[in-house]
Amino acid sequence: DHRVLVYQDLRSLQPRADATKAPDREIELHLTGNMERFMWSFDGLKFSEVDGPIELQYGERVRLILVNDTMMEHPIHLHGMFMEFDNGHGERMPLKHTISVKGGERLSVLVDAIEPGPWAFHCHLLYHMELGMFRVVRVNGGPGQS
């Protein structure tokens, strides 16, 4: 008999009052790819095919819904800001900078856009990132910015 730690078990040690703030909007992203052709992307588009970054406004709270349309697990990493994993623990949601999305899984994270500038957002399996599962998240505005 043994117990395995799973994402649902994760809880922040300290409650955070801002963790219960409702998101200002939602963005759904599909993790897509073809294992036979070894192509990886977000929403069916490689990084070289997207029109521009995912735009966030400084101070907004965004729910990112990650839908893994592949059968492979993808550790999704956001530079510059933590993601709150919405696993049902309310003000004790865990903070993560990388979230593993299992094949066929749908999950959501909350991001507070508090760091201005462009940030890398990608699969942490580097060969997936290099083959197209990469986007830029740009936070517009903020202190001293127009």
Side-chain angles (χ1 to χ4, degrees):
D1 292 331
H2 66 280
R3 183 159 185 246
V4 176
L5 180 68
V6 295
Y7 269 174
Q8 289 308 114
D9 296 329
L10 298 179
R11 294 171 56 106
S12 172
L13 291 175
Q14 300 297 321
R16 290 183 326 281
D18 61 338
T20 57
K21 181 183 169 203
D24 298 305
R25 64 185 171 119
E26 294 182 351
I27 298 172
E28 184 169 305
L29 292 169
H30 288 256
L31 286 55
T32 52
N34 183 311
M35 291 180 73
E36 289 178 7
R37 296 180 64 203
F38 220 67
M39 297 167 50
W40 305 104
S41 56
F42 285 109
D43 292 332
L45 298 172
K46 297 184 301 185
F47 178 64
S48 61
E49 300 170 336
V50 298
D51 289 334
I54 298 168
E55 302 280 353
L56 306 182
Q57 297 306 311
Y58 181 83
E60 81 173 321
R61 185 169 174 83
V62 177
R63 177 181 304 280
L64 293 177
I65 300 167
L66 303 174
V67 182
N68 189 347
D69 293 333
T70 77
M71 294 309 296
M72 188 163 200
E73 187 167 338
H74 296 283
I76 302 299
H77 177 66
L78 174 63
H79 288 246
M81 293 167 281
F82 279 102
M83 300 179 280
E84 294 176 52
F85 177 44
D86 191 0
N87 65 351
H89 291 301
E91 63 186 13
R92 291 186 182 262
M93 284 187 286
L95 294 173
K96 299 195 58 61
H97 57 79
T98 304
I99 186 91
S100 288
V101 187
K102 296 177 187 157
E105 185 175 43
R106 176 188 180 97
L107 57 78
S108 72
V109 295
L110 295 153
V111 175
D112 290 313
I114 58 172
E115 297 296 338
W119 298 100
F121 182 65
H122 61 90
C123 180
H124 224 280
L125 296 174
L126 297 183
Y127 56 97
H128 290 191
M129 178 188 77
E130 287 184 12
L131 293 171
M133 194 175 273
F134 180 94
R135 293 291 303 267
V136 172
V137 170
R138 182 168 50 211
V139 177
N140 299 304
Q145 307 230 348
S146 54

